Amino acid sequence: MTGNWSGFEAYVKAMMEREAIPGAAVAVSLHGETVYQQGFGVRSMATGEPVTPDTVFGIASVTKSFTALTIMQLAEEGKLSLDDPVTRHLPEFKLRTAGGLRSDGIRVRHLLSHTTGVPPLRRREELRRFAEHLDYLAGEEIELLGAPGEYFSYCNDTFLLLGAIIERLTSRPFRRAIAERILEPLELHRSTFSLEELAAWDNVSVPYVKRGGTPTLDEVPWPKLGNYEAGGGIRSTVRDLLKYGQIYVNEAEPSNDRPVARSESLRQMREPIHRIGRNVFYGCALRVTPDYSGVTLVEHGGGQPGVSSYFGFVPERGLAAAVLTNVANVPANELWLAAVNTALGFPLKQKSSVEPTYEASPEELLRLTGAYRSAEGGSVDIVLDGNSPVAEIDGKAFALRASDDCTLVIADSGYPIRFFFKDGPKAWAAFYGSRMLRRVNE
């Protein structure tokens, strides 16, 4: 076994105590061989049953790469191109804007990379058919962020249209298409979209949320996601996710000897499309850090009520890793990177990106202050405490420092908040949590 896993386990346990994480599972493989797998804590606080590597958790937005992979398969089959206009496959796709109904310029590639120009929208989890969502987009007035490809901003409501395209081109229900094309060939027997199936399984985690941002945990039901399951509906295990990860590091093929996708398609998924951080890019449903101590980090996280998840791989080292937890809004990404660092022999707490220090003038800071919101519910308020910037997020205050004239960094975590300017003296948007939040009138 490579790495100092005892040090890693002490790190996990300390974080679980600090963040009030009831249960977590971690697994890492190198060149197809599992080098570490472990359950921590409990899957149910009521019963005290322990987490194991086979415990089922929600994986939330880690699901997105499964959907993207199916799109790549359809491209291989000649059924679509990533550069196709979305309307070629969904002729009824239209966005209602102040300038009227439009869809011009939005291509399949923009859906995959969250670069459609559509901001985060009001969630409509009661919509269960993709046709209903197309009607919603055509009926809800949307103020676009910019032209397609101009900005990156997470938008689940346009990403799920990939599910509609998959249904059209496969003549299969979305769930069935993903099962036939990925889950079954890779023998991911503990992975499912179905809550009914989940209810019949053993060793399934209980979802929890923190009460009002406190460490007190409340049990919640599994969310019924409606159409959003195209970007967040799979429940799985860390062992299954390692099997899935093998296709990306080209170390294993499915048992029927037919590759799930060609190597060039898998590489294309991790090609940078849009810069989203100082040294971080977004590809096709995957985040990419091209130079992390000489290797490439390819990763994606997810969050839902009862879920904080993280998955990714390092192609040059044949490494795949997964972290799943059963509570929302905890840093599964930090656990994941610590596991990757341990497997690669890097310092346990090494960060993938470190923001520089910048002495912002009072005038520069004043340009960033304001209230930023999205229709999805995201909220960040930037205020000055004397000359020191503070972020108010979800009712909690976070001290900030500047890293350049348009970026503030949460001091404790090192997480950046980037600001965008157009015509006025003040920022018109803040980029936080992978979403563009617009300034609102104060």
Side-chain angles (χ1 to χ4, degrees):
M1 184 182 295
T2 61
N4 176 15
W5 293 107
S6 61
F8 170 75
E9 289 182 355
Y11 175 82
V12 173
K13 290 170 184 175
M15 178 176 286
M16 289 179 71
E17 183 173 353
R18 184 175 72 249
E19 297 286 342
I21 301 172
V26 181
V28 183
S29 62
L30 288 169
H31 303 294
E33 178 185 352
T34 299
V35 296
Y36 184 81
Q37 55 181 338
Q38 186 63 50
F40 297 86
V42 297
R43 62 181 188 259
S44 166
M45 295 175 65
T47 67
E49 295 169 299
V51 170
T52 76
D54 289 311
T55 300
V56 177
F57 295 83
I59 72 170
S61 285
V62 174
T63 302
K64 286 183 168 65
S65 62
F66 288 74
T67 299
L69 176 57
T70 303
I71 291 291
M72 303 306 290
Q73 293 173 336
L74 293 170
E76 289 180 4
E77 295 163 17
K79 294 178 179 176
L80 62 73
S81 162
L82 301 195
D83 290 319
D84 284 348
V86 173
T87 50
R88 178 171 297 177
H89 306 289
L90 302 174
E92 65 272 53
F93 168 57
K94 294 287 186 294
L95 300 171
R96 180 170 295 281
T97 71
L101 289 171
R102 58 182 296 184
S103 61
D104 46 302
I106 299 180
R107 303 182 182 277
V108 173
R109 181 183 307 279
H110 297 130
L111 302 182
L112 286 163
S113 59
H114 295 287
T115 54
T116 60
V118 179
L121 300 178
R122 178 171 59 97
R123 284 179 73 89
R124 296 289 304 278
E125 292 180 352
E126 77 279 10
L127 303 180
R128 300 184 56 81
R129 291 184 171 86
F130 292 121
E132 295 173 320
H133 232 98
L134 287 159
D135 289 343
Y136 167 50
L137 293 173
E140 184 91 346
E141 185 159 323
I142 298 166
E143 183 183 356
L144 296 175
L145 298 168
E150 187 175 1
Y151 296 104
F152 170 90
S153 182
Y154 224 65
C155 181
N156 284 302
D157 293 270
T158 51
F159 188 92
L160 65 79
L161 297 178
L162 296 166
I165 292 173
I166 289 167
E167 286 198 345
R168 294 278 173 94
L169 297 183
T170 64
S171 300
R172 294 280 197 277
F174 170 76
R175 288 184 180 185
R176 175 57 18 211
I178 301 296
E180 290 177 355
R181 289 170 166 269
I182 302 176
L183 304 186
E184 292 165 6
L186 294 180
E187 300 182 353
L188 307 186
H189 299 315
R190 299 273 292 165
S191 301
T192 183
F193 285 95
S194 170
L195 294 182
E196 293 76 19
E197 193 168 32
L198 207 62
W201 286 0
D202 293 326
N203 199 359
V204 175
S205 63
V206 172
Y208 295 94
V209 297
K210 294 182 180 181
R211 186 185 303 169
T214 71
T216 302
L217 298 175
D218 292 323
E219 182 179 330
V220 294
W222 289 103
K224 295 180 179 179
L225 300 170
N227 293 324
Y228 297 104
E229 73 177 21
I234 294 177
R235 283 82 181 184
S236 186
T237 70
V238 291
R239 281 160 57 95
D240 269 9
L241 288 177
L242 287 193
K243 290 183 190 176
Y244 173 62
Q246 290 313 303
I247 66 170
Y248 292 99
V249 295
N250 298 318
E251 294 293 340
E253 301 290 1
S255 58
N256 62 9
D257 294 323
R258 294 181 59 204
V260 167
R262 297 174 190 156
S263 295
E264 55 264 35
S265 297
L266 297 164
R267 282 196 298 270
Q268 189 176 0
M269 287 179 64
R270 68 175 190 259
E271 287 178 3
I273 292 176
H274 199 93
R275 183 186 293 273
I276 61 173
R278 203 165 292 275
N279 187 37
V280 185
F281 299 80
Y282 203 86
C284 294
L286 292 168
R287 291 167 50 96
V288 185
T289 303
D291 183 10
Y292 177 66
S293 294
V295 299
T296 307
L297 291 184
V298 188
E299 57 198 292
H300 209 286
Q304 283 169 3
V307 179
S308 295
S309 60
Y310 223 79
F311 160 81
F313 53 96
V314 179
E316 300 92 341
R317 299 292 185 89
L319 180 150
V323 173
L324 299 174
T325 77
N326 58 345
V327 63
N329 299 316
V330 297
N333 60 317
E334 295 181 22
L335 295 176
W336 180 85
L337 187 57
V340 170
N341 287 339
T342 300
L344 296 180
F346 296 165
L348 176 71
K349 296 182 181 180
Q350 180 171 298
K351 302 299 183 185
S352 59
S353 179
V354 178
E355 291 287 316
T357 298
Y358 176 80
E359 291 297 328
S361 69
E363 293 77 19
E364 287 173 322
L365 292 175
L366 196 60
R367 298 172 69 209
L368 310 181
T369 59
Y372 300 87
R373 303 285 186 270
S374 79
E376 189 184 35
S379 171
V380 174
D381 293 84
I382 305 297
V383 298
L384 293 180
D385 180 7
N387 288 323
S388 301
V390 175
E392 296 174 359
I393 304 169
D394 297 328
K396 296 176 69 175
F398 298 88
L400 302 172
R401 65 174 179 84
S403 61
D404 58 40
D405 62 351
C406 59
T407 307
L408 297 175
V409 182
I410 296 176
D412 287 344
S413 66
Y415 193 93
I417 305 172
R418 294 169 57 213
F419 296 84
F420 290 80
F421 294 83
K422 282 187 177 175
D423 301 325
K426 283 200 161 190
W428 70 273
F431 181 71
Y432 174 76
S434 297
R435 290 156 170 84
M436 292 284 276
L437 310 178
R438 274 197 181 86
R439 174 191 293 280
V440 297
N441 293 327
E442 301 169 64

